Amino acid sequence: MKIGNTASNLLVVSLTGAGKGRSLVLDKEAVTIGVGDGCDVVLDAPGVETAGAVAAIRRQAQRLELFVHDADHYSFRINDELHTPVDGTPIALTDGDVVAVEPRQVAAGCEPEKVLLKVVAKPQSDVPPAAGVLQFPEVDAGGQLHPRTATRFLKELVFALYAEMPAWVRAVALLLTVLIPLSVMSATVIVFVFLWNYAKLTEDLRSKNRDSGIQIDVLMEENEKLKNRLKDYEEAINFAPKIAASYRGGVCLIVGTYTYRDAQQRPLRYIDHSFDDSRALSADGKLNVSFEGTGNEFFEEFSGTGFVVAEGVILTNRHIAQPWWTDPTDKLITQLGGKPYIKEIQAYFPEHKTPFALKPVGFSQESDVALCTFNPGDARIPILPIEGFEEDETKPLPDITGQAILLMGFPNGVDVLVAQLTDGQLKRDLERRFRVSEKAILLAQRGELVPLVTQGHVTRLVAGRIVHDAATQEGGSGSPIFNSTGKVIGINAQVTVDEGGGQVPGNNLAVPIRAAFKLLRETGKPLG
């Protein structure tokens, strides 16, 4: 679309075609629309041969009218409503109407032209206005400009300029319109928050300044507490040598053997002599023993740690005094009619060259605790002191997490003691022996049977058990756990292993010592 001579009466905005987005003002009583350079609004109508005006928009006083000259070749729509002129009757238009002029035969791919009309007309001085009716541009009867005229003109000018802007310019303008207020609001909020925090900080400083005198007294008191804690810590560091020297003689190595007999008192034997001295259960899960076997009699050795809590009374784990208690092989043998019994169980003390025969007399049904008795004779064996906590097991244990502990026992049985020997001949002699009892008696006679001491801390309490990180291994079960004051607070019971069988450090389990109180009362064995 092309638009001809421009002036100041009729505002025309092109909505489609080649002039889309352009706006011009025509100062004429009539604006012609058609095909050809002689028309004010020239239609882009490819393929249309008829030239000349097809319609005209004329200003009549306070209104606009559309006169149609060629209704045979063109159709006319006002605001998307089809209008067909009757006998040359003009079509009334209003400000803002959208006039669509469309050839009845439209070439393929072409779009009909549309124009937006705005009226800014001069007053008709030769036609007196009706009473109360404003003339264009909006003036009163005396010819004075109406106050709304400038505002309305400014709005129309802004809309016209906006329509002529490229799309990216309009997008940038819209974005800036949104971002600038947001930036101002954000800056206001930031300043407000800063001022609020500054005021709060100032008030806090004033409050601290007022309390400075009191805080100095508190700091002095805390300083005294830290000095006392440091003293306790220094004592805790040195508690291990004192406890080891005082109570090492009351910790014993327990060594024994057990076997099975059936209802006819037949001993459990290896299937034949080819299985002698092998384990009861093979790697493929089959038993190498039978009550009808013809091989040597089967027996199983075991070892652990115990400690004296009263004269002639030793505490240890139940799985030490009854080694089959947690042994999965036991279930298979009992299915054959076997019943386990202990052939021999003895306690070896560091300061005595001969062992003492033990007699298991009580087993806890709730915890892994067992009580054994022995006849000390004239032997002087230290009795270990016990920290009872609350004897009532229904009450929770006090929180001892983080407390330093000492573990004293025989982890890995006699093998560690043999490995530590400096006497090469004795070491070779012991390594040739297979039975644990033979190694234990030789170590006791040479004065080499000394419990190992390790230190650690209580890491947590879980389900009524003590979890600690003092180093230990199998054979350390039954070892006493001392606190920094030199009292027994638990019985070491279990090491935690991963799926590969490796020990998980820092996750060793112990039974609180109060679990043995009920057993001591039931067996009538008072503490020493």
Side-chain angles (χ1 to χ4, degrees), residues 246-269:
S246 301
Y247 303 114
R248 181 184 287 119
V251 179
C252 63
L253 172 67
I254 298 175
V255 178
T257 57
Y258 72 97
T259 186
Y260 293 85
R261 292 187 182 275
D262 63 5
Q264 290 78 35
Q265 296 301 307
R266 291 183 300 175
L268 185 66
R269 295 181 177 277

Side-chain angles (χ1 to χ4, degrees), residues 101-176:
V101 181
E102 179 179 0
R104 295 188 181 279
Q105 299 296 327
V106 181
C110 294
E111 183 179 4
E113 287 290 329
K114 295 181 182 180
V115 294
L116 173 64
L117 305 177
K118 286 287 185 178
V119 177
V120 186
K122 293 180 180 179
Q124 297 291 335
S125 57
D126 55 343
V127 180
V133 177
L134 296 179
Q135 295 179 320
F136 288 93
E138 296 162 337
V139 296
D140 56 19
Q144 298 298 321
L145 188 67
H146 195 279
R148 293 181 299 172
T149 300
T151 303
R152 186 172 180 181
F153 177 76
L154 182 60
K155 289 181 181 179
E156 294 175 351
L157 179 61
V158 170
F159 287 135
L161 292 175
Y162 182 77
E164 292 185 1
M165 290 181 181
W168 68 270
V169 176
R170 282 181 282 180
V172 172
L174 181 61
L175 182 61
L176 292 176

Side-chain angles (χ1 to χ4, degrees), residues 487-500:
K487 292 185 177 181
V488 178
I489 63 172
I491 307 171
N492 192 51
Q494 182 181 348
V495 296
T496 306
V497 296
D498 56 25
E499 295 181 356

Side-chain angles (χ1 to χ4, degrees), residues 8-11 26-32 56-67 90-91 93 117-127 135-137:
S8 58
N9 262 337
L10 186 60
L11 176 65
L26 303 176
D27 183 19
K28 302 180 72 171
E29 294 296 325
V31 176
T32 58
I57 299 174
R58 295 179 182 177
R59 178 169 56 80
Q60 301 290 340
Q62 303 299 317
R63 59 178 181 161
L64 294 174
E65 293 180 340
L66 175 65
F67 289 84
I91 301 172
L93 301 176
L117 305 177
K118 286 287 185 178
V119 177
V120 186
K122 293 180 180 179
Q124 297 291 335
S125 57
D126 55 343
V127 180
Q135 295 179 320
F136 288 93

